[in-house]
Amino acid sequence: MVNRQPSASSVPRVGFVSLGCPKALVDAERILTQVRAEGYEVVGDYEGADVVVVNTCGFIESAIEESLDAIGEALAENGRVIVTGCLGAQAGKILSTYPQVLAITGPHDQAGVMQALHEHLPQRHDPFTSLVPPQGIKLTPAHYAYLKISEGCNHRCTFCIIPSLRGDLVSRPLGEVLQEAEHLVQAGVRELLVISQDTSAYGVDVRYRTGFWQGRPLRTRMTELARALGQMGVWVRLHYVYPYPHVDELIPLMAEGLVLPYLDVPLQHASPRILRAMKRPGDVERTLERIQSWRRDCPDLTLRSTFIAGFPGETEEDFQQLLDFLEEAQLDRVGCFAYSPVEGATANALPDSVPVVVREERQARFMERQEKISAQRLQRFVGRDCQVLVDELTPEGGAVGRSAADAPEIDGIVAIAPAAGFKVGEFVTVRIEEAMAHDLSGFRVDHVGS
Ligand code: SF4
C-alpha cells in the first residue's frame, strides 16, 4: 500500500472513482462540481491525486463486492481514500475490511464529502479563482444529461433496501430542477433523462406545493414538471416511473411530442400473489388495460420495464402468469433479474425460497420469450423515418445513435452508414432498413436539426 502525503503543488488534487446507477452518477457530478468550485483540481489517475474519493453502490451483493474492491484498489494505488455513496450507509462493512479509510459518508452527502476533503486536503488557494460552468461538471457525454428530481422513496418493496439507505422521498424544489435543466440545455445538452427512485411521486412530500418558474406559479408535480421540461426544445425521457394512476396524464404530453413517447415503468411481476409479497400494486388486469389505453392514445409509445424471476414463494404457476403477461402486454424493452437476496431486505424472511438454479432457469426462459417479443415490436420501425440523436462516430465511417425508443446504456442503438459530415450530438433523420433483436440500422435521409 502507498502511504502518500499531500503534494506540495499549489492546487490540491482529487481523484474520483464512481460506481453504481445513474442516481449515483448524479451524486458524483454534484460532488465534482463542488470540488471544482472550491478550487480543487480533479485528476484522472491515482498517481496524481492527493486524495481519492470512491462513490460506492450498495444495491446488491455483487455491487457491494465491486465497491469494496474499488476501495481496496484506491487504497493500494494511492493510500488516501474517502468513501461516499450507498455503501457508506453501512460504514461497519467498510471499516471491517479497510479501517484505514480517511472518512465515510452516506449517499447523496455532498456536504459530508466536502467536509472530509477540507479536513484531509485543505485548500491552498483562493476558491474564487476557480471557474466552473453553470451546468456543473458532467460525467455523461456533452449531448445528454441525467436530471435528478428527488431522493429517497416512500415505498417499502420487500426486495429493496434503497429506502433504508436513502431515506423517504425528498423532492428537489421545482425551480431548482428547471434552472438546472435550462443550464444544461444552454450548455448544449440535447436530451434530458429524468431520474429519481420514484419519478411519479415527485412533489408528494411537499404536498405538490406551488413553486415558481420564469415568474409563473407551477405545482411541484410530475406532469407539470414534464410539461415545463418539454418546452425547452430537447428530448425529455422519463425513467423509474412507478405505476400510479396519474402516470396516465403523461400520455397526452407524449402524443403532443412534448416529452419522448417512452415510459420506463418497473412492474417487477405479474402474479397478484407475488406482487403482494413484494408490496407492489397487484391489479394486473388494470395494468394491462392501462397499457392498451396508453398505446391507443400514443401509438408510438415505447414501454420499458424490469421484472424479478424466482422471488421467494414464486411457483411455476406464478411464473407462468408472468410469461402470459409478457405475451399480452407486448412490452418493448425489458430487463429481468434472477432474484438475489439483499442483506437487510424484508423479503429475506419470506418462506419458500426458490432454488438458485430455478431462479436462473426462469430468468433465461423469461428473456428467451421476451427477446422474440422485442424483436417483433422493433419490426414496426422498418421502412419508417426516425429522428435519431448521434452518440458517436465509428472508425469505419458510420455512426451510432439512438431513437426515441432507446435510452442510453440500457436499450438498443441505431447504426447509421455512411455518416460523412455527422456530428456527435446532432439530430438526424434515418430511414430504418433493418431491425435486429434490440437494434436498428439505416441511412440518413435528412437534417432535422443540429
Ligand atoms: S419503489 Fe423502487 S426504490 Fe422504492 S422501495 Fe420499491 S424498488 Fe425500492
mmCIF file of all heavy atoms in Angstrom, residues 174-176 178 182 209-220 223-232 258:
data_model
loop_
_atom_site.group_PDB
_atom_site.id
_atom_site.type_symbol
_atom_site.label_atom_id
_atom_site.label_comp_id
_atom_site.label_asym_id
_atom_site.label_seq_id
_atom_site.Cartn_x
_atom_site.Cartn_y
_atom_site.Cartn_z
ATOM 1 N N LEU A 174 -38.916 22.668 -7.428
ATOM 2 C CA LEU A 174 -39.227 22.709 -8.861
ATOM 3 C C LEU A 174 -38.353 23.728 -9.610
ATOM 4 O O LEU A 174 -37.794 23.434 -10.676
ATOM 5 C CB LEU A 174 -40.703 23.063 -9.035
ATOM 6 C CG LEU A 174 -41.189 23.129 -10.452
ATOM 7 C CD1 LEU A 174 -41.773 21.792 -10.879
ATOM 8 C CD2 LEU A 174 -42.242 24.216 -10.598
ATOM 9 N N GLY A 175 -38.227 24.934 -9.032
ATOM 10 C CA GLY A 175 -37.456 25.984 -9.702
ATOM 11 C C GLY A 175 -36.002 25.584 -9.868
ATOM 12 O O GLY A 175 -35.370 25.857 -10.888
ATOM 13 N N GLU A 176 -35.466 24.899 -8.841
ATOM 14 C CA GLU A 176 -34.067 24.468 -8.886
ATOM 15 C C GLU A 176 -33.857 23.430 -10.006
ATOM 16 O O GLU A 176 -32.888 23.496 -10.752
ATOM 17 C CB GLU A 176 -33.713 23.880 -7.514
ATOM 18 C CG GLU A 176 -32.277 23.522 -7.332
ATOM 19 C CD GLU A 176 -32.059 22.838 -5.969
ATOM 20 O OE1 GLU A 176 -32.341 23.469 -4.932
ATOM 21 O OE2 GLU A 176 -31.628 21.675 -5.974
ATOM 22 N N LEU A 178 -35.716 22.999 -12.701
ATOM 23 C CA LEU A 178 -35.869 23.603 -14.026
ATOM 24 C C LEU A 178 -34.695 24.518 -14.365
ATOM 25 O O LEU A 178 -34.270 24.589 -15.518
ATOM 26 C CB LEU A 178 -37.203 24.364 -14.094
ATOM 27 C CG LEU A 178 -38.418 23.428 -14.112
ATOM 28 C CD1 LEU A 178 -39.714 24.198 -13.905
ATOM 29 C CD2 LEU A 178 -38.485 22.642 -15.422
ATOM 30 N N GLU A 182 -32.334 24.113 -17.567
ATOM 31 C CA GLU A 182 -32.091 25.205 -18.510
ATOM 32 C C GLU A 182 -30.589 25.407 -18.736
ATOM 33 O O GLU A 182 -30.139 25.592 -19.865
ATOM 34 C CB GLU A 182 -32.731 26.495 -17.980
ATOM 35 C CG GLU A 182 -32.726 27.586 -19.009
ATOM 36 C CD GLU A 182 -33.513 28.801 -18.543
ATOM 37 O OE1 GLU A 182 -33.157 29.375 -17.491
ATOM 38 O OE2 GLU A 182 -34.478 29.166 -19.231
ATOM 39 N N ARG A 209 -46.544 21.387 -3.512
ATOM 40 C CA ARG A 209 -46.589 22.838 -3.256
ATOM 41 C C ARG A 209 -46.277 23.617 -4.538
ATOM 42 O O ARG A 209 -45.591 23.130 -5.434
ATOM 43 C CB ARG A 209 -45.630 23.210 -2.134
ATOM 44 C CG ARG A 209 -44.256 23.483 -2.559
ATOM 45 C CD ARG A 209 -43.377 24.019 -1.439
ATOM 46 N NE ARG A 209 -42.013 23.591 -1.729
ATOM 47 C CZ ARG A 209 -41.187 23.081 -0.875
ATOM 48 N NH1 ARG A 209 -41.539 22.903 0.385
ATOM 49 N NH2 ARG A 209 -39.981 22.710 -1.230
ATOM 50 N N THR A 210 -46.757 24.841 -4.575
ATOM 51 C CA THR A 210 -46.559 25.674 -5.756
ATOM 52 C C THR A 210 -45.164 26.282 -5.720
ATOM 53 O O THR A 210 -44.767 26.905 -4.737
ATOM 54 C CB THR A 210 -47.615 26.806 -5.784
ATOM 55 O OG1 THR A 210 -48.892 26.175 -5.825
ATOM 56 C CG2 THR A 210 -47.446 27.695 -7.000
ATOM 57 N N GLY A 211 -44.417 26.042 -6.784
ATOM 58 C CA GLY A 211 -43.123 26.690 -6.949
ATOM 59 C C GLY A 211 -43.246 27.746 -8.029
ATOM 60 O O GLY A 211 -44.358 28.031 -8.505
ATOM 61 N N PHE A 212 -42.117 28.318 -8.411
ATOM 62 C CA PHE A 212 -42.167 29.346 -9.460
ATOM 63 C C PHE A 212 -41.124 29.076 -10.506
ATOM 64 O O PHE A 212 -40.012 28.647 -10.215
ATOM 65 C CB PHE A 212 -41.955 30.747 -8.854
ATOM 66 C CG PHE A 212 -43.184 31.225 -8.154
ATOM 67 C CD1 PHE A 212 -43.402 30.913 -6.825
ATOM 68 C CD2 PHE A 212 -44.167 31.933 -8.855
ATOM 69 C CE1 PHE A 212 -44.559 31.313 -6.180
ATOM 70 C CE2 PHE A 212 -45.327 32.332 -8.210
ATOM 71 C CZ PHE A 212 -45.520 32.027 -6.875
ATOM 72 N N TRP A 213 -41.502 29.304 -11.752
ATOM 73 C CA TRP A 213 -40.554 29.163 -12.847
ATOM 74 C C TRP A 213 -40.834 30.258 -13.853
ATOM 75 O O TRP A 213 -41.961 30.398 -14.313
ATOM 76 C CB TRP A 213 -40.697 27.766 -13.487
ATOM 77 C CG TRP A 213 -39.856 27.574 -14.719
ATOM 78 C CD1 TRP A 213 -40.298 27.287 -15.975
ATOM 79 C CD2 TRP A 213 -38.441 27.706 -14.804
ATOM 80 N NE1 TRP A 213 -39.240 27.215 -16.832
ATOM 81 C CE2 TRP A 213 -38.082 27.465 -16.156
ATOM 82 C CE3 TRP A 213 -37.429 28.011 -13.882
ATOM 83 C CZ2 TRP A 213 -36.760 27.506 -16.587
ATOM 84 C CZ3 TRP A 213 -36.119 28.056 -14.321
ATOM 85 C CH2 TRP A 213 -35.800 27.798 -15.659
ATOM 86 N N GLN A 214 -39.809 31.071 -14.100
ATOM 87 C CA GLN A 214 -39.920 32.216 -15.003
ATOM 88 C C GLN A 214 -41.113 33.094 -14.627
ATOM 89 O O GLN A 214 -41.912 33.495 -15.466
ATOM 90 C CB GLN A 214 -40.030 31.725 -16.450
ATOM 91 C CG GLN A 214 -38.756 31.012 -16.873
ATOM 92 C CD GLN A 214 -38.772 30.502 -18.287
ATOM 93 O OE1 GLN A 214 -39.831 30.163 -18.797
ATOM 94 N NE2 GLN A 214 -37.613 30.423 -18.907
ATOM 95 N N GLY A 215 -41.249 33.302 -13.318
ATOM 96 C CA GLY A 215 -42.285 34.185 -12.804
ATOM 97 C C GLY A 215 -43.677 33.582 -12.769
ATOM 98 O O GLY A 215 -44.630 34.225 -12.348
ATOM 99 N N ARG A 216 -43.822 32.342 -13.234
ATOM 100 C CA ARG A 216 -45.151 31.717 -13.258
ATOM 101 C C ARG A 216 -45.262 30.692 -12.138
ATOM 102 O O ARG A 216 -44.312 29.944 -11.886
ATOM 103 C CB ARG A 216 -45.371 30.970 -14.587
ATOM 104 C CG ARG A 216 -45.671 31.858 -15.762
ATOM 105 C CD ARG A 216 -45.992 31.014 -16.990
ATOM 106 N NE ARG A 216 -44.830 30.250 -17.436
ATOM 107 C CZ ARG A 216 -44.805 28.935 -17.578
ATOM 108 N NH1 ARG A 216 -45.874 28.213 -17.311
ATOM 109 N NH2 ARG A 216 -43.728 28.312 -18.000
ATOM 110 N N PRO A 217 -46.415 30.617 -11.477
ATOM 111 C CA PRO A 217 -46.579 29.577 -10.459
ATOM 112 C C PRO A 217 -46.737 28.214 -11.135
ATOM 113 O O PRO A 217 -47.368 28.101 -12.192
ATOM 114 C CB PRO A 217 -47.879 29.982 -9.744
ATOM 115 C CG PRO A 217 -48.608 30.849 -10.708
ATOM 116 C CD PRO A 217 -47.601 31.477 -11.605
ATOM 117 N N LEU A 218 -46.145 27.207 -10.529
ATOM 118 C CA LEU A 218 -46.183 25.862 -11.106
ATOM 119 C C LEU A 218 -46.145 24.861 -9.960
ATOM 120 O O LEU A 218 -45.325 25.008 -9.046
ATOM 121 C CB LEU A 218 -44.942 25.683 -11.991
ATOM 122 C CG LEU A 218 -44.998 24.757 -13.187
ATOM 123 C CD1 LEU A 218 -46.136 25.125 -14.134
ATOM 124 C CD2 LEU A 218 -43.664 24.796 -13.927
ATOM 125 N N ARG A 219 -47.022 23.871 -10.008
ATOM 126 C CA ARG A 219 -47.042 22.906 -8.905
ATOM 127 C C ARG A 219 -45.843 21.955 -8.990
ATOM 128 O O ARG A 219 -45.403 21.596 -10.080
ATOM 129 C CB ARG A 219 -48.340 22.097 -8.929
ATOM 130 C CG ARG A 219 -49.535 22.915 -8.492
ATOM 131 C CD ARG A 219 -50.796 22.130 -8.645
ATOM 132 N NE ARG A 219 -50.984 21.213 -7.525
ATOM 133 C CZ ARG A 219 -51.772 20.149 -7.568
ATOM 134 N NH1 ARG A 219 -52.406 19.840 -8.681
ATOM 135 N NH2 ARG A 219 -51.918 19.387 -6.512
ATOM 136 N N THR A 220 -45.351 21.565 -7.828
ATOM 137 C CA THR A 220 -44.253 20.598 -7.752
ATOM 138 C C THR A 220 -44.855 19.214 -7.973
ATOM 139 O O THR A 220 -45.223 18.508 -7.026
ATOM 140 C CB THR A 220 -43.574 20.677 -6.362
ATOM 141 O OG1 THR A 220 -43.236 22.029 -6.119
ATOM 142 C CG2 THR A 220 -42.343 19.799 -6.290
ATOM 143 N N THR A 223 -46.376 15.787 -13.723
ATOM 144 C CA THR A 223 -46.934 16.198 -15.013
ATOM 145 C C THR A 223 -46.531 17.633 -15.338
ATOM 146 O O THR A 223 -46.131 17.942 -16.472
ATOM 147 C CB THR A 223 -48.480 16.086 -14.981
ATOM 148 O OG1 THR A 223 -48.817 14.815 -14.439
ATOM 149 C CG2 THR A 223 -49.076 16.240 -16.352
ATOM 150 N N GLU A 224 -46.633 18.514 -14.335
ATOM 151 C CA GLU A 224 -46.292 19.924 -14.551
ATOM 152 C C GLU A 224 -44.796 20.061 -14.879
ATOM 153 O O GLU A 224 -44.403 20.834 -15.756
ATOM 154 C CB GLU A 224 -46.640 20.754 -13.311
ATOM 155 C CG GLU A 224 -48.121 21.057 -13.157
ATOM 156 C CD GLU A 224 -48.973 19.881 -12.640
ATOM 157 O OE1 GLU A 224 -48.446 18.749 -12.521
ATOM 158 O OE2 GLU A 224 -50.168 20.096 -12.365
ATOM 159 N N LEU A 225 -43.978 19.280 -14.166
ATOM 160 C CA LEU A 225 -42.537 19.322 -14.421
ATOM 161 C C LEU A 225 -42.247 18.827 -15.844
ATOM 162 O O LEU A 225 -41.478 19.453 -16.585
ATOM 163 C CB LEU A 225 -41.803 18.433 -13.402
ATOM 164 C CG LEU A 225 -40.306 18.278 -13.636
ATOM 165 C CD1 LEU A 225 -39.568 19.573 -13.328
ATOM 166 C CD2 LEU A 225 -39.723 17.150 -12.790
ATOM 167 N N ALA A 226 -42.872 17.719 -16.228
ATOM 168 C CA ALA A 226 -42.621 17.153 -17.565
ATOM 169 C C ALA A 226 -43.026 18.157 -18.647
ATOM 170 O O ALA A 226 -42.326 18.335 -19.641
ATOM 171 C CB ALA A 226 -43.383 15.845 -17.727
ATOM 172 N N ARG A 227 -44.156 18.826 -18.439
ATOM 173 C CA ARG A 227 -44.611 19.812 -19.437
ATOM 174 C C ARG A 227 -43.603 20.961 -19.556
ATOM 175 O O ARG A 227 -43.241 21.375 -20.660
ATOM 176 C CB ARG A 227 -45.993 20.351 -19.057
ATOM 177 C CG ARG A 227 -46.564 21.326 -20.051
ATOM 178 C CD ARG A 227 -47.975 21.745 -19.686
ATOM 179 N NE ARG A 227 -48.962 20.734 -19.975
ATOM 180 C CZ ARG A 227 -49.438 20.473 -21.207
ATOM 181 N NH1 ARG A 227 -49.006 21.172 -22.231
ATOM 182 N NH2 ARG A 227 -50.326 19.529 -21.391
ATOM 183 N N ALA A 228 -43.120 21.454 -18.404
ATOM 184 C CA ALA A 228 -42.160 22.576 -18.440
ATOM 185 C C ALA A 228 -40.850 22.137 -19.101
ATOM 186 O O ALA A 228 -40.272 22.870 -19.915
ATOM 187 C CB ALA A 228 -41.897 23.091 -17.023
ATOM 188 N N LEU A 229 -40.395 20.930 -18.795
ATOM 189 C CA LEU A 229 -39.161 20.434 -19.424
ATOM 190 C C LEU A 229 -39.371 20.271 -20.926
ATOM 191 O O LEU A 229 -38.485 20.560 -21.731
ATOM 192 C CB LEU A 229 -38.749 19.086 -18.814
ATOM 193 C CG LEU A 229 -38.243 19.133 -17.367
ATOM 194 C CD1 LEU A 229 -38.064 17.716 -16.823
ATOM 195 C CD2 LEU A 229 -36.917 19.896 -17.274
ATOM 196 N N GLY A 230 -40.566 19.810 -21.286
ATOM 197 C CA GLY A 230 -40.873 19.575 -22.695
ATOM 198 C C GLY A 230 -40.872 20.847 -23.517
ATOM 199 O O GLY A 230 -40.776 20.792 -24.745
ATOM 200 N N GLN A 231 -40.980 21.995 -22.842
ATOM 201 C CA GLN A 231 -40.978 23.268 -23.586
ATOM 202 C C GLN A 231 -39.566 23.798 -23.812
ATOM 203 O O GLN A 231 -39.383 24.879 -24.340
ATOM 204 C CB GLN A 231 -41.846 24.293 -22.848
ATOM 205 C CG GLN A 231 -43.331 23.945 -23.028
ATOM 206 C CD GLN A 231 -44.245 24.587 -22.001
ATOM 207 O OE1 GLN A 231 -43.774 25.150 -21.009
ATOM 208 N NE2 GLN A 231 -45.543 24.476 -22.213
ATOM 209 N N MET A 232 -38.552 23.021 -23.377
ATOM 210 C CA MET A 232 -37.168 23.501 -23.536
ATOM 211 C C MET A 232 -36.571 23.120 -24.886
ATOM 212 O O MET A 232 -35.408 23.412 -25.161
ATOM 213 C CB MET A 232 -36.301 22.979 -22.393
ATOM 214 C CG MET A 232 -36.691 23.580 -21.063
ATOM 215 S SD MET A 232 -35.526 23.215 -19.763
ATOM 216 C CE MET A 232 -36.327 24.047 -18.378
ATOM 217 N N LEU A 258 -44.286 16.633 -26.643
ATOM 218 C CA LEU A 258 -43.568 17.460 -25.659
ATOM 219 C C LEU A 258 -42.497 16.660 -24.936
ATOM 220 O O LEU A 258 -41.411 17.165 -24.652
ATOM 221 C CB LEU A 258 -44.554 18.016 -24.628
ATOM 222 C CG LEU A 258 -45.173 19.365 -24.923
ATOM 223 C CD1 LEU A 258 -46.124 19.755 -23.815
ATOM 224 C CD2 LEU A 258 -44.116 20.441 -25.116
#
